[in-house]
Amino acid sequence: MKILGVIAEYNPFHKGHAWQINESQKRSQCDAVMALMSGSITQRGDFAILNKWERTQLALSSGVDLVCELPVAYACQSAEAFASGGIKILNATRVCDVLSFGSEGGALDPLNNLAKFLVAEPPEFKSVLKEALSAGVSFPKARMIAIDQLLGNEASTLLRTPNNILAIEYLKSLYRTHSLISPLTVPRQGCGYHSLATSDYLSASGIRNILKDALTKTESEKTTLSALSRSLPYPVEKLFCPLKQNYHLDGDERFLNALRLQILSQDVYHLKSTPYVSEGLEHKIRDAVKTAETLDELVNAIISKRIPKTRVLRILSNRVLELHQQTLATLQADAFFPYLRVLGFNKTGQAILKKIKTHSDLPILTNLKKSESCLNADQRKMLYYDCRATDLHNLFYENNYCYHRDYTQSPIRRNECHF
């Protein structure tokens, strides 16, 4: 059995994801697909529109054989941490043969060359990067400036889009870990990552925008949902029905209230321990929390030339998780190895799990009540934050309250997905 690995958000799973899987299997000749999927919070710092089991069902119905959770200590962090955490887990399974990821052009060599350069970090690169940072621009912008100056516009352009940035981070992690996994990139189909434009291949952002519009404007529900039918590899009702039944429209308000309670009830310096908070940003955040009436207002009051929206959202999500910089550093350390948290599988996925058990010492979690005891202290700490993220997603964005669902929910089996 040749296994294709994918690291993804599936927020939600759409036609572009299905195309990536099908095309990658054709090119790689892999006959099984395992996905590491963000759980409750995404890489941009947003809470996912559906909970992780609902998104698992959609993935299993659309070509994925095994869905496992990418821990929030990797999933809700920088592109580098997101990629390195996923590669670390796939390496540890010792069964993943090919890693598939999207990119703008679908050409591997230019991405490979840039990734190798960034891993090497030659002295001239460090010097130009430092100079650009001292001019007051953000790190991503400074890195683009340095690459443009040293390697040219063609190379620096690769760093302009989220798909290419993640692709390069995957390749960097594969090189740094001397991984045996072969990289495979396919071109992104349809709209850009954040695009809201109409297309047969709508972006996940565009799909979420349509779904939320349908939830708030019931008179146009039929019209708005028909716009999605061409962009999903499954009936649109399978996405919209659970959302309509369980999505809480005032989730952002609940999130904001939780932030107010946490931030204003403690000394401002407590914020300094939150990942990505530096240069006195804790004062700006606390002042903004005092006056912001909506989550969007809060975020917009904090962003600046050097602090993009994604960084602010990650700060706020890590804050509400009470995940501190020191703890995060421990969980992201090269010497630390996590676990494989199983969210769902079909018959082929079950065979993948059996193969992992044979080839790897990686703890496989299917029943937390039974398997939590096999984890070491740091692994249990990582699991705590995954479970906390699930609880917060449930409290903020779901109508049906379910305390500690991670301990009561069994992995989804394909025959339970009534599609």
Side-chain angles (χ1 to χ4, degrees), residues 138-186:
S138 65
F139 175 81
K141 179 66 175 177
R143 186 171 68 168
M144 282 182 59
I145 292 171
I147 293 299
D148 186 74
Q149 184 171 326
L150 297 172
L151 300 182
N153 180 257
E154 187 174 341
S156 66
T157 299
L158 294 174
L159 294 170
R160 291 184 182 276
T161 58
N163 288 288
N164 281 350
I165 291 170
L166 263 179
I168 290 165
E169 293 300 340
Y170 292 138
L171 292 167
K172 285 169 59 181
S173 285
L174 290 173
Y175 292 132
R176 283 173 174 161
T177 60
H178 306 287
S179 177
L180 299 177
I181 299 172
S182 300
L184 169 66
T185 188
V186 294

Side-chain angles (χ1 to χ4, degrees), residues 53 342-343 366-367 405-406 408-413 416:
W53 292 283
V342 180
L343 295 177
T366 54
N367 184 320
R405 184 173 177 180
D406 282 289
T408 59
Q409 174 72 54
S410 298
I412 302 296
R413 295 175 182 265
E416 295 174 4

Side-chain angles (χ1 to χ4, degrees), residues 115-132:
K116 290 176 181 177
F117 180 85
L118 291 172
V119 167
E121 285 192 321
E124 60 270 26
F125 171 71
K126 292 181 179 180
S127 176
V128 178
L129 179 67
K130 184 178 180 180
E131 182 180 348

Side-chain angles (χ1 to χ4, degrees), residues 38-262:
S38 300
S40 300
I41 310 178
T42 70
Q43 198 262 329
R44 295 177 66 243
D46 291 321
F47 280 83
I49 193 166
L50 294 172
N51 69 46
K52 57 193 180 186
W53 292 283
E54 291 167 333
R55 285 159 44 235
T56 293
Q57 287 184 337
L58 297 177
L60 290 175
S61 75
S62 308
V64 180
D65 299 305
L66 171 65
V67 181
C68 299
E69 182 172 2
L70 183 66
V72 72
Y74 306 135
C76 179
Q77 312 306 331
S78 67
E80 182 176 18
F82 182 94
S84 63
I87 297 299
K88 178 183 285 191
I89 294 174
L90 290 178
N91 282 341
T93 66
R94 298 182 181 177
V95 303
C96 182
D97 298 291
V98 178
L99 175 72
S100 168
F101 49 87
S103 60
E104 297 307 320
L108 188 61
D109 285 348
L111 299 169
N112 254 329
N113 294 336
L114 182 52
K116 290 176 181 177
F117 180 85
L118 291 172
V119 167
E121 285 192 321
E124 60 270 26
F125 171 71
K126 292 181 179 180
S127 176
V128 178
L129 179 67
K130 184 178 180 180
E131 182 180 348
L133 287 170
S134 65
V137 300
S138 65
F139 175 81
K141 179 66 175 177
R143 186 171 68 168
M144 282 182 59
I145 292 171
I147 293 299
D148 186 74
Q149 184 171 326
L150 297 172
L151 300 182
N153 180 257
E154 187 174 341
S156 66
T157 299
L158 294 174
L159 294 170
R160 291 184 182 276
T161 58
N163 288 288
N164 281 350
I165 291 170
L166 263 179
I168 290 165
E169 293 300 340
Y170 292 138
L171 292 167
K172 285 169 59 181
S173 285
L174 290 173
Y175 292 132
R176 283 173 174 161
T177 60
H178 306 287
S179 177
L180 299 177
I181 299 172
S182 300
L184 169 66
T185 188
V186 294
R188 179 181 177 84
Q189 296 298 297
C191 301
Y193 185 78
H194 300 304
S195 175
L196 304 180
T198 301
S199 166
D200 282 359
Y201 288 91
L202 277 171
S203 69
S205 297
I207 291 172
R208 291 194 300 272
N209 189 63
I210 290 174
L211 289 170
K212 290 178 181 178
D213 187 62
L215 287 173
T216 55
K217 300 175 182 177
T218 55
E219 71 279 0
S220 60
E221 180 179 310
K222 186 175 180 179
T223 302
T224 53
L225 291 181
S226 67
L228 285 181
S229 59
R230 294 183 302 166
S231 296
L232 301 175
Y234 46 79
V236 67
E237 294 79 14
K238 302 303 179 183
L239 171 59
F240 187 67
C241 287
L243 190 72
K244 188 174 183 179
Q245 292 169 4
N246 199 28
Y247 184 77
H248 198 284
L249 290 170
D250 295 327
D252 285 356
E253 184 178 348
R254 292 180 175 188
F255 185 10
L256 177 59
N257 285 335
L259 287 168
R260 285 194 185 110
L261 179 63
Q262 281 191 339

Side-chain angles (χ1 to χ4, degrees), residues 363-409:
I364 299 176
L365 309 183
T366 54
N367 184 320
L368 295 195
K369 289 181 179 179
K370 293 181 179 179
S371 53
E372 186 177 17
S373 60
C374 74
L375 303 179
N376 62 38
D378 286 335
Q379 288 170 333
R380 287 196 296 273
K381 189 175 294 183
M382 173 173 271
L383 181 61
Y384 165 81
Y385 288 107
D386 288 347
C387 295
R388 182 171 173 83
T390 303
D391 288 341
L392 291 175
H393 186 285
N394 180 247
L395 285 171
F396 298 162
Y397 293 97
E398 298 179 56
N399 289 320
N400 304 320
Y401 177 68
C402 184
Y403 176 71
H404 258 22
R405 184 173 177 180
D406 282 289
Y407 287 86
T408 59
Q409 174 72 54

